């Protein structure tokens, strides 16, 4: 190094030459680092970075809960419409749990079993209805696919707004609260579009819109 060779710090007049030397030698130095085992970090997916920095904190949840509680009498009932046909059980249970964990409690879950052939489906739906009076169920005799099954579920609804929800979807815990508060802020609201993304079997979120 400069100090080892000269036993002094460089003068101001010597700095430009030293800086040019450092610039010229940097590529060689970087190559030596790589060859000695240095591995630069992989570039993180921008959406993963966004998720890490925008997750709901306990403070966020508490503040949202206070907003909902203070305005509860004015907020709508949200009917969550869910068509079901032989769902993967794990994903189905996770979907139900995501509804149960909503900060906003003024919801009803309307489920139509579209003539599932899996023996566990209808008994499980009946069990859920017994456990929570906000869960309503009906069973179709013939499979009609998602449109007819959604219509059958919607006939159970008594709320002010319908929220369409697939058998393997997940609601963030603030989802219905945000929708309800949006309708309060804009009193002539007919339709609310929310953000959404996809999630894989490992819990990795992607494709936000």
């Amino acid at each position: 190094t400069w100090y080892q060779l000269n036993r002094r710090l460089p003068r101001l007049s010597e700095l430009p030459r030293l800086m040019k030397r450092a610039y010229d030698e940097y590529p060689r130095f970087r190559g030596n680092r790589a060859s000695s085992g240095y591995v630069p970090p992989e570039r993180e997916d921008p959406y993963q970075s966004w998720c890490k920095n925008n997750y709901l904190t306990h403070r966020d949840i508490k503040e949202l809960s206070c907003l909902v509680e203070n305005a509860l009498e004015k907020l709508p009932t949200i009917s969550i419409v869910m068509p079901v046909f032989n769902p993967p059980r794990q994903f189905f249970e996770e979907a139900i749990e995501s509804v149960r964990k909503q900060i906003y409690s003024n919801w009803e879950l309307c489920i139509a079993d579209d003539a599932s052939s899996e023996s566990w489906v209808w008994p499980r739906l009946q069990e859920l209805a017994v456990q929570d009076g906000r869960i309503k169920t009906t069973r179709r005799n013939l499979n009609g696919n998602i449109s007819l099954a959604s219509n059958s579920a919607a006939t159970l609804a008594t709320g002010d707004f319908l929220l369409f929800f697939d058998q393997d979807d997940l609601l963030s815990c603030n989802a219905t609260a945000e929708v309800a508060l949006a309708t309060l802020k804009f009193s002539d609201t007919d339709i609310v579009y929310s953000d959404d993304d996809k999630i894989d079997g490992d819990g990795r979120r992607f494709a936000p819109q």
Side-chain angles (χ1 to χ4, degrees):
T1 66
W2 172 273
Y3 186 83
Q4 290 173 330
L5 292 174
N6 297 277
R7 296 296 177 183
R8 64 177 175 82
L9 295 175
R11 302 184 182 91
L12 288 177
S13 60
E14 295 169 325
L15 286 178
R17 180 171 58 86
L18 289 174
M19 292 175 65
K20 183 178 184 305
R21 178 181 172 187
Y23 179 82
D24 291 340
E25 293 188 0
Y26 175 71
R28 180 172 61 83
F29 170 77
R30 184 176 60 181
N32 289 341
R33 287 286 298 276
S35 63
S36 64
Y38 172 75
V39 179
E42 293 184 5
R43 183 176 181 271
E44 186 171 42
D45 176 71
Y47 186 52
Q48 300 305 312
S49 298
W50 185 93
C51 290
K52 289 179 182 178
N53 288 282
N54 290 276
Y55 67 92
L56 279 177
T57 65
H58 291 298
R59 180 177 179 180
D60 294 330
I61 293 173
K62 185 176 180 180
E63 289 178 353
L64 188 58
S65 299
C66 288
L67 288 174
V68 167
E69 185 177 346
N70 292 333
L72 191 57
E73 293 182 0
K74 303 176 184 178
L75 295 177
T77 299
I78 297 177
S79 299
I80 302 170
V81 174
M82 186 182 194
V84 168
F85 177 73
N86 292 340
R89 185 154 190 174
Q90 177 186 345
F91 294 160
F92 172 77
E93 296 291 351
E94 290 175 0
I96 297 295
E97 192 63 20
S98 76
V99 174
R100 285 173 157 172
K101 289 183 176 179
Q102 290 300 294
I103 295 170
Y104 186 60
S105 61
N106 193 14
W107 52 263
E108 60 180 10
L109 177 57
C110 306
I111 309 176
D113 177 12
D114 196 19
S116 293
S117 57
E118 294 286 343
S119 60
W120 66 269
V121 177
W122 180 238
R124 178 56 177 149
L125 296 186
Q126 293 176 299
E127 182 182 26
L128 289 169
V130 171
Q131 292 173 353
D132 192 325
R134 295 172 296 177
I135 299 178
K136 305 176 181 181
T137 61
T138 186
R139 190 181 193 192
R140 293 175 50 81
N141 294 323
L142 296 173
N143 179 264
N145 295 320
I146 189 168
S147 295
L148 290 178
S150 296
N151 288 341
S152 295
T155 62
L156 303 173
T158 61
D160 304 289
F161 287 86
L162 299 180
L163 188 157
F164 293 98
F165 186 60
D166 284 342
Q167 62 186 17
D168 56 355
D169 282 349
L170 293 175
L171 289 177
S172 59
C173 68
N174 62 322
T176 52
E178 297 288 2
V179 169
L181 291 170
T183 66
L184 182 63
K185 185 176 181 181
F186 303 99
S187 58
D188 59 345
T189 297
D190 293 318
I191 300 174
V192 177
Y193 289 95
S194 68
D195 297 336
D196 68 77
D197 61 12
K198 304 294 188 294
I199 184 168
D200 64 20
D202 297 322
R204 181 181 178 274
R205 293 167 58 184
F206 63 99
Q209 59 182 2

